[in-house]
Amino acid sequence: MKKIAGLFFMGLVIALHSYSQFGRLSPADSLRRDSMNRMTQQDYKQMLAELNITTVRPGANGNNPNAPNAANYDESKANPYPNLPDPLMLKNGQKITTAKMWWDKRRPEIVEDFDREIYGRMPKNTPKVKWEVTKDTMEMNGDVKVHTKKLVGHVDNSSYPSINVNIDLTLSVPANATGPVPVVMEFGFVFPPGFRVPGPPRDTTKPAPPQPPSWQQQVLAKGWGYAILVPGSIQADNGAGLTQGIIGLVNKGQPRKPDDWGSLRAWAWGADRAMDYFEIDKAIDARKVAIEGHSRYGKAALVTLAYNPRFATAFVSSSGEGGAKLHRRNAGEIVENVAGSGEYHWMAGNFIKYAGPLNWGDMPVDSHELIAMCAPRPVFISGGSKGDGWVDTRGMFMAAAAAGPVYKLLGKKDMGTAEYPPIGTTLIDGDIGYRQHEDGHTPVPNWPTFIEFAGKYFK
Ligand code: GCU
């Protein structure tokens, strides 16, 4: 059953990718796409010029194993920079031995490096958001009655009225709850109108096959609520959109500076605004809010937990490069891919420097320190196996292990091992959880494990 769900999700993601990339577009949509691509290229070139970069190294080719730049899956070649920055040593060489030193000295150093070089700085002042409930309904999800609110977060655009940002959020809580409930919020993929998963039509003469419980239904079974946040309503998922959305609004329509925030931090900012709403909604226990995301949104989920202390935990699914995977690893997707024109908008402009002239080993920080920024709060790192090589699940495991000393310093438990375990091993006894499931690029098989992990804290 799990397998079917996994395959279904994979099918959905692949279908969506092909729909958006190669599907039949109307002439108007294809014009729009071409002009967006042009704007992305223009913004990217402008950023390269600003950084004085003339050439960047190409990304790994994940499609053709015979290409000269084919993605590497050979573990003996995966660690060209085996030495990671020490999360417990100050830049001046001093060892961090107390929690106070971590909070006062070392963590701020790490945050500054991630801000400047990796994800970009969130502006000091961001506009206020006014939440409006646009629809309030009782509905059934499976056999559970839920109270669902559609919400719009109107972002104050008085500083630059030609850019409108309206955050799209949906929240559902069990209707029979007797008190405030924990919530799991997902960065949701949005499928285009009329989108249908390709495949053989269902035989409607037979009853529909039973469906495994969705993640929302699994969450409801615990008595928790769930929410879906739409990332694209906060910030577009392309370079062309960087002069719009919340990033464009704060920059008054001007292009980014090299250390300005990228989409990942903008999405995380939106999640934190949703948290503002959860804090005032009496149906929610805002101290027990988890954030979940898959793939690019897995990166966003980790960035959200790392930067926003009000979130209690995160399910970080197949986040790969730019997420939990060590940047120093040569396995599957590499820095150069994320630094390319299709993905650079997730990051700070400065990140591109590490695809030329600098190297991965020149980064002042690595992803184990992003995980360490979440400490002491629990975090669950998840990846798949066959078909999910691109995300380098081993590289994510290594980062999770290397964050352990920080958790321990803060009186918490690390993952319990630094030895890469067999597929399907569940490591949730510590405060850093990890599991590589048996399927491909999907969060589905690890939902029960995450819910069990979060359940230890959401009592
Ligand atoms: C691409 C990209 C990944 C990303 C993924 C996704 O594969 O290289 O970094 O996570 O898309 O979000 O679907």
Side-chain angles (χ1 to χ4, degrees), residues 17 295-296 299 333 343 346 390 441:
H17 268 249
S295 210
R296 66 200 57 195
K299 308 179 209 297
E333 184 167 32
E343 300 178 3
W346 294 336
W390 189 236
H441 193 54

Side-chain angles (χ1 to χ4, degrees), residues 13 17 189 237 294-299 318-322 333 337-338 343 346 390-391 441:
V13 169
H17 268 249
F189 281 91
D237 192 5
H294 172 68
S295 210
R296 66 200 57 195
Y297 302 139
K299 308 179 209 297
S318 293
S319 60
E321 173 54 38
E333 184 167 32
N337 295 88
V338 173
E343 300 178 3
W346 294 336
W390 189 236
V391 308
H441 193 54

Side-chain angles (χ1 to χ4, degrees), residues 161-216:
S162 65
I163 295 179
N164 283 298
V165 184
N166 291 298
I167 307 176
D168 182 335
L169 174 71
T170 312
L171 169 68
S172 298
V173 296
N176 67 357
T178 51
V181 296
V183 167
V184 179
M185 178 162 70
E186 169 166 90
F187 283 114
F189 281 91
V190 175
F191 300 105
F195 175 77
R196 195 189 133 266
V197 185
R202 192 173 69 76
D203 180 354
T204 46
T205 60
K206 298 200 180 110
Q211 295 294 314
S214 66
W215 71 266
Q216 290 94 331

